[in-house]
Amino acid sequence: MGPIRATIVGSLPKPGWLAVPGILQAPWKVSAAELPEALADATRLSVESQVAAGLDVVTDGEQRRRHYIWGFLDGIAAVDTANLSMRPTRGQRFKKEAPVARLTGEPQWPGPMQVEALSAVRALTDRPVKVTLPGPMTLVDSLHDEVGRHSTADLAMLFADLLNREAKALAEAGAAVVQFDEPCFNIYLDQARDWGVAALARASTGVGTKTGVHICYGYGGSEVTDWKAANRDWSHYEQSLALVARTDIDQVSIETAAVGVDIGVVELLRGKDVLLGLVNVGDERVETPEEIAGGLRRALDHVEPHRLFACTDCGLVLRSREAAAAKMRALAAGAAIVNRELTCVAGEVSP
Ligand code: ZN
């Protein structure tokens, strides 16, 4: 294994027998009685596909959650993820309103919710395991507060405390990385500065393992890919990454494949691990290993090799399983190309 490693943001497509492929928030296809066994089987397939592709850090593929935010919200008391509400989300960047969970009382953490999934993955592989949680700012942007006692910022801080308890439990149970997903940092730049980054810092305080944040421009659905195709201003990372750079967060995952972001923006993340998005999650075309290698070489002007990871732009949940597997293989192969080049250079200077 060379210094540059390969991994994914978090999610992978679910098997067609578990949930309808190609859509977000897909309902389970199996009965409640069959669900535990089905989720265990899907998790095993997901981990096997990552190991077979050659990834160095694996996840559970988010097989056990219907949506990346609901994996956390499903267990929180006073949050309803069954009877949804509609509200504007994501600054209405992609659509006017989206279905969201409802907050009906004071949210309570019921005890570890994702430790069981983590343990299932750790029983399947010796590779380091990353667990993803929603970031507090993105979480409250995906929630309809029917109580209305708190400001949005206060509600984010409240959820940051609950996320912190889950993150600490995951670290104790052996997670190599706990990653918070904060796509909203590239949308609400002022709020991210005013309280979003503070909420993230609160969620990650004292977690006894590496912490990360994933900041992207959204999944690969058509509303998002249409927005990406039409958008011309890609300056958001200049602000969001500069804010995150000042926190104790260890890793930052960013998107560069499907958007007009210059890879040189990672200069802002000196001293942190960089998960560089080099795989477009919005189409089925499989990147070549040489394309991946090219992106990694450009990042090496700004990131030390042992801090650099070849990664996806975002979750692969909407892709076909075939394309997802091939994209993961391309990530590992691209990292291997550049690792060989680094070994050759090192060999030349110290024969
Ligand atoms: Zn993302």
Side-chain angles (χ1 to χ4, degrees), residues 7-9 130 179-183 185-186 212-218 228 234 236-238 240-242 244-245 251-269 272-281 295 299 302-303 308-315 331:
T7 189
I8 54 174
V9 164
K130 175 172 79 174
Q179 173 185 289
F180 298 94
D181 297 336
E182 281 288 23
F185 280 10
N186 266 357
V213 62
H214 165 66
I215 307 170
C216 68
Y217 286 97
K228 289 179 186 176
W234 299 106
H236 313 82
Y237 277 136
E238 289 162 27
S240 58
L241 299 189
V244 167
Q251 301 193 338
V252 184
S253 160
I254 69 163
E255 161 168 12
T256 70
V259 291
V261 172
D262 186 323
I263 286 175
V265 78
V266 298
E267 175 66 30
L268 292 166
L269 298 172
K272 296 201 185 291
D273 291 355
V274 173
L275 276 58
L276 186 63
L278 296 169
V279 158
N280 183 348
V281 299
H302 312 277
V303 186
L308 183 58
F309 292 73
C311 191
T312 52
D313 271 356
C314 187
L331 282 173

Side-chain angles (χ1 to χ4, degrees), residues 215-226:
I215 307 170
C216 68
Y217 286 97
Y219 276 130
S222 60
E223 289 145 342
V224 175
T225 54
D226 288 350

Side-chain angles (χ1 to χ4, degrees), residues 131 133 160-173 175-180 200-212 248-250:
V131 180
L133 293 170
D161 288 339
L162 309 188
L163 287 162
N164 184 251
R165 295 174 74 177
E166 181 74 18
K168 284 176 174 168
L170 289 164
E172 265 176 39
V177 184
V178 176
Q179 173 185 289
F180 298 94
L200 172 69
R202 190 151 161 167
S204 58
T205 295
V207 176
T209 191
K210 277 202 174 194
T211 54
D248 292 332
I249 292 278
D250 301 298

Side-chain angles (χ1 to χ4, degrees), residues 122-166:
R122 292 191 74 217
L124 292 164
T125 178
D126 291 334
R127 296 186 194 206
V129 180
K130 175 172 79 174
V131 180
T132 57
L133 293 170
M137 185 184 211
T138 297
L139 190 154
V140 296
D141 193 53
S142 310
L143 196 63
H144 177 63
D145 177 10
E146 294 191 346
V147 186
R149 266 201 301 271
H150 305 284
S151 69
T152 308
D154 288 347
L155 197 60
M157 292 300 173
L158 207 157
F159 272 102
D161 288 339
L162 309 188
L163 287 162
N164 184 251
R165 295 174 74 177
E166 181 74 18

Side-chain angles (χ1 to χ4, degrees), residues 63-203:
Q63 299 294 295
R64 292 166 186 264
R65 47 180 115 169
R66 289 174 298 146
H67 183 260
Y68 77 101
I69 295 174
W70 295 353
F72 180 74
L73 285 183
D74 268 341
I76 298 288
V79 172
D80 187 344
T81 59
N83 305 296
L84 304 177
S85 180
M86 296 294 288
R87 60 157 276 190
T89 62
R90 308 298 184 266
Q92 297 184 306
R93 180 177 277 181
F94 309 119
K95 53 182 154 184
K96 279 185 130 159
E97 292 191 319
V100 296
R102 297 179 309 121
L103 179 67
T104 57
E106 203 65 12
Q108 305 274 346
W109 184 69
M113 292 178 282
Q114 294 191 30
V115 163
E116 189 183 335
L118 167 64
S119 301
V121 178
R122 292 191 74 217
L124 292 164
T125 178
D126 291 334
R127 296 186 194 206
V129 180
K130 175 172 79 174
V131 180
T132 57
L133 293 170
M137 185 184 211
T138 297
L139 190 154
V140 296
D141 193 53
S142 310
L143 196 63
H144 177 63
D145 177 10
E146 294 191 346
V147 186
R149 266 201 301 271
H150 305 284
S151 69
T152 308
D154 288 347
L155 197 60
M157 292 300 173
L158 207 157
F159 272 102
D161 288 339
L162 309 188
L163 287 162
N164 184 251
R165 295 174 74 177
E166 181 74 18
K168 284 176 174 168
L170 289 164
E172 265 176 39
V177 184
V178 176
Q179 173 185 289
F180 298 94
D181 297 336
E182 281 288 23
C184 283
F185 280 10
N186 266 357
I187 297 174
Y188 307 115
L189 297 169
D190 292 344
Q191 292 95 323
R193 179 199 60 215
D194 293 344
W195 53 264
V197 172
L200 172 69
R202 190 151 161 167

